[in-house]
């Protein structure tokens, strides 16, 4: 008889469900505030981009209650639509936060989810900050459990694992019970998507992926709040996230050293637009140009 899988989803969900502001160190709070401020800045810079205008127009056309603000505008739409638009705008400038271990930009989904649901519910700032830390931890741990094969199979991590982070953040702000929070993760997992087919033409779907990660997470949390069920074992199920989204998974990464420290501290800011791994070569080129007084006209 096959051994029953360890309840990784339950262990992770239980720990993050209990997390509150008092559990955060001063550094956790400072890092989280810095990531949030940075996110707002690079999202505002995307407001007039073509994909941003398309998404803003669609959100307005779809209608709904004026619950949450589209960053950089005076427009207010439903929390679900705001999370989609703001999550997508966060990716457009290529200045979003980055996490080397999972090749993801978790803030593009966790932060718009926090702002949209926080604004809708008039949540306290400290509760929102704790929910953001929990969201980063959940999403990044999901990423660690399936990397690197997840990436090499063609999945776009900022669309896939981000949905778990957004669901955790939104669920925490909504005050879901432990079981509801697990259902929220299960619902996010059944919507997990996003691939790299956009790369040859830099299609707008690149920006849509983290936006959908945010929307999927927020939608999952609201559904779970209202009694909609998903699963309690989305990560370890034989038909769940790790089994389907990786050739080789690392389930132990889901619960290793919980809170020691929180993973939000591993997230980096970008100095330049573009993938973080090319920043060092950019700086090397700038150093050479400065050292040898190179001008564009001479090349």
């Amino acid at each position: 008889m096959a051994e029953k899988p360890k309840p990784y989803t339950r262990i992770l969900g239980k720990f993050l469900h209990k997390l509150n502001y008092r559990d955060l160190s001063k550094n956790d709070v400072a890092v989280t505030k810095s990531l949030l401020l940075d996110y707002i800045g690079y999202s505002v810079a995307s407001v007039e981009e073509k994909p941003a205008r398309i998404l803003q127009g669609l959100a307005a056309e779809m209608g709904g209650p004026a619950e949450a603000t589209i960053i950089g505008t005076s427009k207010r739409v439903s929390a679900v639509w705001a999370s989609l638009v703001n999550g997508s705008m966060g990716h457009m400038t290529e200045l979003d936060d980055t996490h080397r271990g999972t090749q993801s930009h978790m803030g593009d989904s966790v932060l718009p989810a926090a702002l949209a649901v926080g604004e809708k519910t008039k949540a306290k700032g400290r509760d929102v900050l704790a929910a953001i830390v929990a969201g980063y931890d959940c999403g990044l741990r999901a990423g660690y459990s399936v990397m690197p094969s997840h990436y090499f199979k063609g999945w776009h991590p900022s669309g896939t694992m981000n949905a778990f982070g957004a669901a955790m953040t939104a669920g925490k702000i909504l005050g879901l019970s432990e079981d509801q929070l697990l259902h929220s993760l299960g619902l996010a997992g059944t919507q997990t998507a996003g691939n790299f087919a956009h790369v040859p033409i830099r299609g707008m779907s690149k920006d849509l992926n983290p936006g959908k990660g945010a929307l999927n997470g927020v939608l999952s949390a609201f559904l779970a709040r209202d009694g909609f069920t998903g699963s309690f074992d989305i990560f370890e199920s034989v038909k769940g996230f790790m089994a389907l989204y990786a050739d080789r998974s690392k389930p132990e990464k889901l619960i290793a050293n919980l809170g020691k420290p929180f993973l939000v501290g591993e997230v980096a800011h970008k100095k330049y637009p573009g993938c973080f791994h090319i920043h060092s070569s950019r700086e090397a080129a700038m150093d050479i140009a400065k050292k040898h007084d190179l001008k564009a006209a001479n090349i």
Side-chain angles (χ1 to χ4, degrees), residues 24-158:
L24 308 182
S25 68
K26 290 183 179 179
N27 186 65
D28 292 328
V29 173
V31 167
T32 304
K33 287 181 177 180
S34 177
L35 291 170
L36 179 56
L37 182 61
D38 195 30
Y39 161 77
I40 291 172
Y42 55 71
S43 297
V44 168
S46 302
V47 168
E48 297 301 326
E49 294 290 330
K50 184 176 180 181
R53 295 199 304 271
I54 293 172
L55 288 168
Q56 291 166 28
L58 181 62
E61 179 185 342
M62 293 294 99
E67 299 173 328
T69 304
I70 293 177
I71 294 175
T73 77
S74 59
K75 301 172 184 174
R76 299 182 76 242
V77 295
S78 73
V80 173
W81 280 110
S83 63
L84 171 69
V85 178
N86 291 335
S88 297
M89 290 200 306
H91 200 49
M92 290 176 194
T93 59
E94 299 282 1
L95 282 167
D96 38 5
D97 67 25
T98 188
H99 184 256
R100 183 177 181 181
T102 61
Q103 297 292 303
S104 68
H105 309 287
M106 191 58 58
D108 286 344
S109 301
V110 165
L111 297 173
L115 291 175
V117 180
E119 184 176 359
K120 171 182 168 61
T121 62
K122 297 180 173 60
K124 295 180 180 179
R126 290 188 173 194
D127 293 336
V128 171
L129 288 174
I132 290 172
V133 172
Y136 271 96
D137 226 67
C138 183
L140 295 178
R141 287 176 179 279
Y144 272 133
S145 76
V146 294
M147 293 295 280
S149 69
H150 182 73
Y151 184 91
F152 293 123
K153 285 172 72 69
W155 294 109
H156 187 185
S158 297

Side-chain angles (χ1 to χ4, degrees), residues 93-236:
T93 59
E94 299 282 1
L95 282 167
D96 38 5
D97 67 25
T98 188
H99 184 256
R100 183 177 181 181
T102 61
Q103 297 292 303
S104 68
H105 309 287
M106 191 58 58
D108 286 344
S109 301
V110 165
L111 297 173
L115 291 175
V117 180
E119 184 176 359
K120 171 182 168 61
T121 62
K122 297 180 173 60
K124 295 180 180 179
R126 290 188 173 194
D127 293 336
V128 171
L129 288 174
I132 290 172
V133 172
Y136 271 96
D137 226 67
C138 183
L140 295 178
R141 287 176 179 279
Y144 272 133
S145 76
V146 294
M147 293 295 280
S149 69
H150 182 73
Y151 184 91
F152 293 123
K153 285 172 72 69
W155 294 109
H156 187 185
S158 297
T160 55
M161 60 191 68
N162 278 29
F164 295 112
M168 176 59 67
T169 293
K172 290 276 291 179
I173 295 174
L174 289 175
L176 300 187
S177 69
E178 184 181 315
D179 279 359
Q180 288 174 323
L181 198 57
L182 295 186
H183 279 306
S184 179
L185 294 178
L187 292 167
T190 203
Q191 300 176 81
T192 297
N195 56 58
F196 281 116
H198 58 259
V199 169
I201 63 169
R202 208 299 184 186
M204 294 178 188
S205 54
K206 184 178 192 297
D207 307 313
L208 182 67
N209 288 340
K212 277 302 276 19
L215 181 151
N216 291 342
V218 170
L219 175 63
S220 297
F222 279 123
L223 286 171
R225 178 201 64 181
D226 294 341
F228 210 92
T229 57
S231 62
F232 288 142
D233 59 351
I234 188 61
F235 293 123
E236 68 272 17

